[in-house]
Amino acid sequence: MLVLGIESSCDETGVAIYDDERGLLAHAIHTQIPIHAQYGGVVPELAGRDHIKRVVPLIRKVMQDAQLQLTDLNAVAYTAGPGLIGALLVGAMEARALAFALNIPAIPVHHMEGHLLAPMLESNPPSFPFVALLVSGGHTMLIKVAAPGSYEILGESVDDAAGEAFDKTAKLLGLPYPGGPKLEALANEPHADSSAYHFPRPMIDRPNLDFSFAGLKTAVLNAVHKSTDLEADKASIARCFEDAVADTLYHKCQKALDKTKMNTLVVAGGVSANSAIREALTTLMAQRKGQVFFARKEFCTDNGAMIALAGMLRFKAGERGSLEVNVFPRWPLSSLKPL
Ligand code: KG4
Ligand code: ZN
């Protein structure tokens, strides 16, 4: 069975084809970074307009790469939320129209469920149940995952998401959008000194599993203001900030695993592409003699493959979207139906 997946929730148009027997057959991404970089962040109206231009050529490309015809498809999955409404509507309209023309189902997919399941695209996929750490631009969550669709939120950020903290800190250091990967590159410069600053590890001593990154951002702001040579200091600031985030995630994951008595950790979302964070959580799971799973870096950030995979699971479980085009800019993950 073949599912086409379309992702258009923010600043990447992603399209992919997933086969339930052979796995991922083709995928393509178009990033809007050059469009938004000049404004320092995503401009929703420009995002929507660019998705309109890219989605059909990308569908043609993946069909050609996989040597398939549209009539071979069994369903079209699309990101129905959360995300920017104008951007979501492009993927939803395209998917709904294509499904209608082909007389096949259109399957609405939750963007964060896509992220969470992305490590299942790899050759050594995690098995259920597990604890998932979702770290993206808009969300930071620890989730007890009993099965696909069964998501119990154990804790989440009370203020900035981890990716947002990366992006805002990058801005403070004068780095262009998108901040996360640029900040990582700066932190990896040879002269970055990991002992130059000690930034707070917010809320790691609290018994609950919530996160807070606003205080860390303020600590970085103070360090920036105090610096007499920011050009020389900024790599160390970036490095110490990254260490503080990695350490915070390490401690919170440890608590979540203890609390749930589980020893399998799945880490997903854009921030899980960060090497320092991957290393910290790999160390945690080696110490616990447990297992940790990540998606390949390309599939940590937004992509069509994760939507095609999540859509396939929902399609096989009998889920069918209605004929209406519905998108949900805000959509709690915990409200999904277990499969
Ligand atoms: O999951 P994602 O692609 O989009 C959302 O669903 O939000 O996550 C994007 C976030 C951005 O905040 C970006 O700066 C961050 O992930 N990010 C990173 C890295 N790559 C992407 N943060 C730290 N290090 C990275 N290498
Ligand atoms: Zn995302």
Side-chain angles (χ1 to χ4, degrees):
M1 252 173 334
L2 292 167
V3 171
L4 179 75
I6 302 176
E7 154 63 32
S8 73
S9 67
C10 189
D11 57 350
E12 253 112 28
T13 323
V15 178
I17 305 169
Y18 191 84
D19 179 330
D20 65 334
E21 280 171 10
R22 290 179 292 163
L24 189 65
L25 298 186
H27 70 98
I29 295 178
H30 178 267
T31 177
Q32 302 179 354
I33 287 172
I35 295 175
H36 303 296
Q38 50 188 313
Y39 303 99
V42 179
V43 183
E45 180 62 26
L46 297 183
R49 289 187 205 179
D50 196 63
H51 286 305
I52 292 174
K53 276 196 245 166
R54 307 295 170 179
V55 69
V56 171
L58 285 178
I59 294 172
R60 288 212 177 98
K61 178 174 166 29
V62 294
M63 296 309 299
Q64 199 169 25
D65 289 352
Q67 307 224 314
L68 292 167
Q69 307 296 321
L70 287 173
T71 47
D72 295 326
L73 296 173
N74 299 95
V76 187
Y78 63 96
T79 304
L84 303 170
I85 188 159
L88 289 167
L89 276 169
V90 177
M93 291 288 285
E94 179 61 32
R96 187 57 271 173
L98 196 55
F100 188 72
L102 296 168
N103 198 21
I104 57 177
I107 316 283
V109 170
H110 192 293
H111 181 78
M112 300 312 292
E113 177 173 68
H115 275 303
L116 196 154
L117 299 175
M120 293 177 68
L121 290 161
E122 304 306 325
S123 52
N124 170 30
S127 38
F128 297 89
F130 52 74
V131 168
L133 171 69
L134 264 183
V135 271
S136 73
H139 296 83
T140 302
M141 290 191 266
L142 273 163
I143 306 160
K144 184 176 164 185
V145 183
S150 167
Y151 306 126
E152 184 193 330
I153 313 294
L154 302 168
E156 57 195 322
S157 179
V158 297
D159 42 54
D160 293 352
E164 208 176 344
F166 266 93
D167 295 340
K168 288 180 177 171
T169 301
K171 231 179 199 174
L172 288 177
L173 297 176
L175 302 174
Y177 158 90
K182 297 259 171 24
L183 190 142
E184 173 170 19
L186 184 62
N188 287 339
E189 300 248 321
H191 65 285
D193 176 2
S194 63
S195 60
Y197 302 87
H198 187 79
F199 292 134
R201 274 65 174 148
M203 295 172 68
I204 57 170
D205 299 327
R206 304 259 182 98
N208 69 33
L209 295 169
D210 288 336
F211 302 84
S212 165
F213 292 105
L216 177 56
K217 191 183 62 193
T218 308
V220 172
L221 183 65
N222 290 338
V224 169
H225 283 160
K226 275 192 196 141
S227 169
T228 49
D229 186 355
L230 189 59
E231 227 16 70
D233 294 341
K234 67 183 189 184
S236 300
I237 296 178
R239 175 67 183 274
C240 297
F241 165 82
E242 199 182 62
D243 286 351
V245 176
D247 207 25
T248 304
L249 298 178
Y250 173 104
H251 282 95
K252 288 290 177 181
C253 286
Q254 186 168 43
K255 270 197 187 124
L257 293 160
D258 286 345
K259 192 169 177 175
T260 54
K261 299 191 171 54
M262 287 190 189
N263 219 9
T264 304
L265 179 67
V266 167
V267 191
V271 181
S272 69
N274 183 279
S275 297
I277 290 169
R278 289 167 92 99
E279 232 168 76
L281 298 174
T282 302
T283 303
L284 170 68
M285 296 318 289
Q287 286 163 346
R288 297 177 66 97
K289 298 192 170 39
Q291 282 187 295
V292 64
F293 296 88
F294 306 94
R296 73 191 83 162
K297 290 194 178 183
E298 185 184 11
F299 291 160
C300 289
T301 44
D302 294 347
N303 64 85
M306 67 186 196
I307 303 303
L309 169 74
M312 174 62 85
L313 292 179
R314 294 205 162 262
F315 175 60
K316 283 178 74 169
E319 217 164 276
R320 303 291 180 262
S322 73
L323 282 175
E324 285 167 44
V325 177
N326 267 329
V327 294
F328 311 96
R330 289 177 190 282
W331 185 7
L333 185 64
S334 53
S335 69
L336 294 186
K337 274 186 279 169
L339 300 185

